[in-house]
């Protein structure tokens, strides 16, 4: 396994994110919980020994019970500069998954219809159970897909229309929806509550299959992973920290990305189309 690691190559955004990540990992350890690298973070650990050079976030996943416990108790441990963001909180957080943000720094997001500013963040996703096969799986997938579609319509101007790999049909629907008053017809929080109820239907503890439903590639259900892939606790270096990840990382990353060791084209590298800014530039 070839590692191309050089922390001196981290950009300023990644340095700030790494600081947030270090704090989150310390808190997770104090709470005796487990969090696993997800998506591009796991890919970065394997292919680069840390951040993907053009990436601007960190994705972590927790099994549902750990996730719920973390959200209920993390505020007791957060330093003054960090804050928990959830969709049910008193803020403009419109994502289903939770986020730990650093209030001191801003990132300019330019991938959606409206340019917006968000704090430097670490994303934390719930990992949920899925039916193993058959009619139950298909019905559950359809219900989840419909719920996610309605959610995206509810906040269509914030959807990253420039995200690499988005199917052409999805791009066409987004472009049509942007011309219609769909945001006024669908309530975002109600849509997310529906997703929440659906994801909790199959307990992760008793399921053979685990999904990060709101991950970047989950619209293809590539992030529906057999429990055996997570396997025993396996630690991987990520810059100057170590993090848990699926034991069978090759199977995990192949499911998400196919030939994951081959970097994407330059046009597909900045998935969030973002840059670090000062508050004066906002």
């Amino acid at each position: 396994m070839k590692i191309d690691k050089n922390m001196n190559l981290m950009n300023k955004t990644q340095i700030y994110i790494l600081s947030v990540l270090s704090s989150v990992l310390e808190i997770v350890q104090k709470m005796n919980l487990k969090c696993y690298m997800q998506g591009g973070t796991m890919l970065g650990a394997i292919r680069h020994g840390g951040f993907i050079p053009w990436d601007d976030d960190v994705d972590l996943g927790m099994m549902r019970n750990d996730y719920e416990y973390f959200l209920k108790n993390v505020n007791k441990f957060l330093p003054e500069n960090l804050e928990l963001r959830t969709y049910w909180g008193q803020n403009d957080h419109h994502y289903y998954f939770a986020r730990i943000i650093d209030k001191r720094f801003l990132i300019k997001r330019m991938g959606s219809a409206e340019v917006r500013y968000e704090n430097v963040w670490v994303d934390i996703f719930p990992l949920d159970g899925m039916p193993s096969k058959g009619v139950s799986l298909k019905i559950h997938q359809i219900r989840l897909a419909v719920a996610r579609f309605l959610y995206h319509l509810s906040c269509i101007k914030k959807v990253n229309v420039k995200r690499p790999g988005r199917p052409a049909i999805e791009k066409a629907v987004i472009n049509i929806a942007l011309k219609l008053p769909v945001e006024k017809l669908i309530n975002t929080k109600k849509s997310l509550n529906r997703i929440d109820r659906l994801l909790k239907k199959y307990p992760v503890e008793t399921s053979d299959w685990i999904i990060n439903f709101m991950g970047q590639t989950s619209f293809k259900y590539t992030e529906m992973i057999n429990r055996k892939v997570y396997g025993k606790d396996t630690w991987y270096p990520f810059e100057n920290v170590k993090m848990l990840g699926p034991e069978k990382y090759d199977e995990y990353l192949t499911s998400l990305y196919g030939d994951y060791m081959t970097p994407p084209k330059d046009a597909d590298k900045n998935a969030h189309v973002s840059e670090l800014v000062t508050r004066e530039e906002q």
Side-chain angles (χ1 to χ4, degrees):
M1 179 174 65
K2 186 177 180 180
I3 295 293
D4 177 17
K5 179 185 177 185
N6 186 343
M7 285 187 60
N8 292 325
L9 297 180
M10 280 197 302
N11 61 46
K12 188 175 291 187
T13 302
Q14 292 168 347
I15 292 172
Y16 294 148
I17 293 171
L18 187 61
S19 175
V20 178
L21 174 62
S22 297
S23 295
V24 170
L25 294 177
E26 288 178 9
I27 293 169
V28 168
Q29 185 177 28
K30 288 179 182 178
M31 298 172 74
N32 197 29
L33 304 175
K34 293 180 180 180
C35 64
Y36 301 86
M37 289 184 288
Q38 296 290 292
T41 304
M42 187 68 208
L43 174 59
I46 297 302
R47 195 170 68 195
H48 304 276
F51 285 102
I52 295 174
W54 51 90
D55 207 359
D56 63 2
D57 71 348
V58 164
D59 295 334
L60 305 176
M62 292 184 177
M63 300 300 173
R64 172 61 70 170
N65 285 345
D66 280 2
Y67 178 79
E68 300 284 351
Y69 183 86
F70 178 82
L71 297 188
K72 289 178 182 178
N73 295 280
V74 67
N75 283 324
K76 302 173 187 176
F77 302 91
L78 289 174
E80 186 177 343
N81 61 297
L82 300 185
E83 183 176 298
L84 171 67
R85 293 284 176 88
T86 62
Y87 79 85
W88 61 81
Q90 300 301 314
N91 51 62
D92 59 356
H93 185 83
H94 67 281
Y95 304 102
Y96 174 68
F97 49 87
R99 180 171 278 182
I100 300 294
I101 62 99
D102 190 323
K103 295 178 286 186
R104 299 173 298 178
F105 307 109
L106 292 172
I107 291 180
K108 183 178 181 180
R109 303 290 298 274
M110 299 169 286
S112 52
E114 293 181 345
V115 173
R116 64 186 194 278
Y117 296 83
E118 297 181 345
N119 296 97
V120 168
W121 70 85
V122 167
D123 287 332
I124 304 175
F125 296 82
L127 302 178
D128 291 292
M130 291 287 283
S132 296
K133 57 184 178 180
V135 176
S136 296
L137 174 60
K138 292 299 181 183
I139 291 175
H140 194 53
Q141 286 179 325
I142 291 171
R143 287 175 174 169
L144 283 170
V146 171
R148 181 172 49 203
F149 177 69
L150 292 174
Y151 152 68
H152 281 149
L153 288 180
S154 77
C155 54
I156 192 66
K157 291 182 180 178
K158 297 178 181 178
V159 172
N160 184 2
V161 296
K162 298 179 182 179
R163 188 184 72 192
R166 191 181 291 281
I169 184 64
E170 197 170 313
K171 291 180 181 178
V173 171
I174 290 172
N175 288 328
I176 293 171
L178 283 170
K179 300 175 183 177
L180 302 172
V182 291
E183 288 182 299
K184 297 180 180 179
L185 302 176
I186 307 171
N187 183 276
T188 298
K189 288 195 175 183
K190 287 183 178 179
S191 299
L192 291 174
N193 282 334
R194 176 169 174 74
I195 291 174
D196 190 61
R197 290 193 298 272
L198 286 169
L199 287 176
K200 292 176 180 177
K201 184 174 182 180
Y202 295 93
V204 68
E205 297 81 14
T206 57
S207 300
D208 293 330
W209 292 85
I210 298 170
I211 192 168
N212 175 5
F213 180 66
M214 299 304 280
Q216 187 174 334
T217 68
S218 63
F219 61 92
K220 302 176 184 177
Y221 289 98
T222 55
E223 294 191 47
M224 179 176 163
I225 304 294
N226 192 288
R227 176 181 293 279
K228 295 178 181 179
V229 172
Y230 278 86
K232 64 182 181 181
D233 289 357
T234 307
W235 296 86
Y236 300 87
F238 186 93
E239 303 298 350
N240 64 348
V241 299
K242 287 188 177 181
M243 290 196 284
L244 280 174
E247 178 187 10
K248 299 180 180 179
Y249 69 85
D250 180 71
E251 191 171 339
Y252 173 84
L253 291 173
T254 299
S255 178
L256 269 65
Y257 303 110
D259 179 16
Y260 62 87
M261 290 304 288
T262 300
K265 299 176 182 177
D266 288 345
D268 294 338
K269 286 183 176 179
N270 189 355
H272 294 121
V273 194
S274 61
E275 63 183 27
L276 189 76
V277 300
T278 64
R279 289 194 177 276
E280 288 73 23
E281 294 176 289
Q282 185 178 358

